[in-house]
C-alpha cells in the first residue's frame, strides 16, 4: 500500500500539497501504521485511539465537549462498517465525507470450500486471520457456521493479527483464540510460536 501510494504521489506530483493540507487540519487516527506515517512526515494527530479501534476513537469524540456541530470530517474506511461509522459521526453533529480506497474481492468458492472442509475435519492446527473481512467471509456460511465454531473451540486455533480482528472472531462464537500486542504480522507469528512452545510436551 505504501509503495503504491508513493507511486501515485509521484505520478500526480501532489505530495507537498497533500501534506500541506494535512498540516492545516485536525487529525484523528486509530492505527499504529498511520501514526508512524504521520511522524515520518512531521504531522501530529490531535486525537489517537489508545487501543487501535474505531470504538475508542469515537469515545474520544463523544467525550469532547468542544467538538463543534459544523465540523466536517473526512472518513477513510476499510471494510463494510462504513455506514455505521458514518452514522456515528453524523450523530455527533459532523458532516461526513466518506472515502473508500479499498475494495475486497470475495474469496474463490473452491478455496473457501477447501479451507472450510479442512477446519471442520480438524486437519489444520491453526488458521491465521489478518482482517475482519476474512473472518466474515468464512463464518458467513450459514450452513457451516456451527461446525466451524465447534472446530475452532475444540481443536483449530484461531489466530488474529490484532484486537479488532480478534473481536470479530469472538463475536462469531469462537472462544479459543490468540492475538499479539502490538497488532503486527511479525508479532502475530511470534505469539503463535510462543503459544505452541508453552504447550505441554
Amino acid at each position: 500500500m505504501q509503495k503504491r501510494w508513493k507511486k501515485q504521489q509521484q505520478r500526480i506530483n501532489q505530495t507537498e500539497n497533500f501534506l500541506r493540507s494535512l498540516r492545516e487540519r485536525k487529525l484523528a487516527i486509530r492505527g499504529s501504521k498511520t501514526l508512524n506515517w504521520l511522524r515520518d512526515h512531521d504531522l501530529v494527530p490531535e486525537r489517537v485511539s489508545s487501543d487501535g479501534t474505531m470504538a475508542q476513537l469515537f469515545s474520544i469524540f463523544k467525550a469532547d465537549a468542544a467538538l463543534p456541530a459544523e465540523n466536517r470530517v473526512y472518513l477513510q474506511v476499510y471494510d463494510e462498517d462504513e455506514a455505521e461509522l458514518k452514522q456515528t459521526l453524523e450523530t455527533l453533529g459532523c458532516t461526513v465525507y466518506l472515502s473508500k480506497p479499498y475494495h475486497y474481492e470475495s474469496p474463490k468458492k473452491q478455496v473457501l470450500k477447501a479451507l472450510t472442509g479442512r477446519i471442520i475435519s480438524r486437519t489444520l492446527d491453526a488458521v491465521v486471520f489478518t482482517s475482519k473481512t476474512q473472518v466474515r467471509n468464512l463464518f458467513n456460511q450459514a450452513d457451516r457456521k456451527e461446525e466451524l465454531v465447534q472446530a475452532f473451540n475444540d481443536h483449530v486455533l484461531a489466530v488474529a493479527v490484532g484486537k479488532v480482528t480478534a473481536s470479530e472472531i469472538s463475536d462469531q462464537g469462537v472462544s479459543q483464540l490468540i492475538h499479539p500486542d502490538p497488532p503486527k504480522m511479525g508479532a502475530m507469528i511470534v505469539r503463535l510460536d510462543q503459544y505452541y512452545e508453552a504447550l505441554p510436551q
Side-chain angles (χ1 to χ4, degrees):
M1 176 63 189
Q2 193 173 30
K3 289 181 180 179
R4 191 184 315 154
W5 183 88
K6 286 180 178 178
K7 287 181 180 179
Q8 182 71 358
Q9 291 294 308
Q10 291 169 357
R11 186 179 70 81
I12 64 176
N13 195 29
Q14 291 296 314
T15 302
E16 286 307 315
N17 288 338
F18 177 65
L19 292 174
R20 188 181 306 112
S21 179
L22 289 180
R23 291 188 184 99
E24 295 170 354
R25 286 159 175 78
K26 297 176 181 178
L27 306 176
I29 65 169
R30 74 166 180 86
S32 59
K33 287 183 180 179
T34 305
L35 181 59
N36 290 335
W37 186 89
L38 292 179
R39 286 172 175 166
D40 288 344
H41 294 84
D42 298 319
L43 295 165
V44 181
E46 185 172 281
R47 299 175 177 90
V48 179
S49 170
S50 60
D51 64 359
T53 66
M54 289 301 294
Q56 169 65 21
L57 189 59
F58 283 150
S59 71
I60 296 172
F61 276 106
K62 290 176 182 177
D64 189 353
L67 185 67
E70 65 271 17
N71 255 14
R72 293 179 300 166
V73 177
Y74 174 93
L75 176 64
Q76 181 170 300
V77 294
Y78 302 90
D79 55 35
E80 58 265 40
D81 289 339
E82 61 263 11
E84 180 183 349
L85 301 179
K86 183 174 183 287
Q87 184 178 9
T88 300
L89 283 169
E90 289 174 338
T91 301
L92 295 174
C94 299
T95 300
V96 181
Y97 176 88
L98 194 65
S99 171
K100 297 187 284 185
Y102 297 95
H103 171 71
Y104 291 95
E105 291 186 4
S106 298
K108 294 180 179 179
K109 290 183 179 180
Q110 63 268 31
V111 174
L112 185 61
K113 182 179 179 180
L115 174 61
T116 301
R118 294 199 64 186
I119 293 170
I120 291 174
S121 65
R122 278 73 165 171
T123 57
L124 293 176
D125 293 316
V127 176
V128 169
F129 296 92
T130 60
S131 73
K132 291 192 299 183
T133 302
Q134 290 179 346
V135 178
R136 291 170 181 172
N137 284 338
L138 180 64
F139 286 94
N140 280 352
Q141 304 174 90
D143 59 330
R144 308 307 298 269
K145 181 175 179 178
E146 187 175 338
E147 292 176 282
L148 285 165
V149 170
Q150 186 174 349
F152 276 111
N153 282 333
D154 68 26
H155 178 80
V156 184
L157 178 66
V159 187
V161 71
K163 182 177 180 178
V164 174
T165 304
S167 178
E168 184 64 36
I169 296 171
S170 179
D171 288 346
Q172 300 294 339
V174 176
S175 56
Q176 178 181 267
L177 63 105
I178 61 172
H179 65 89
D181 186 18
K184 301 282 187 182
M185 293 287 191
M188 175 180 63
I189 300 305
V190 171
R191 178 71 184 87
L192 177 59
D193 180 65
Q194 291 171 340
Y195 174 86
Y196 283 115
E197 285 290 334
L199 290 179
Q201 299 299 319

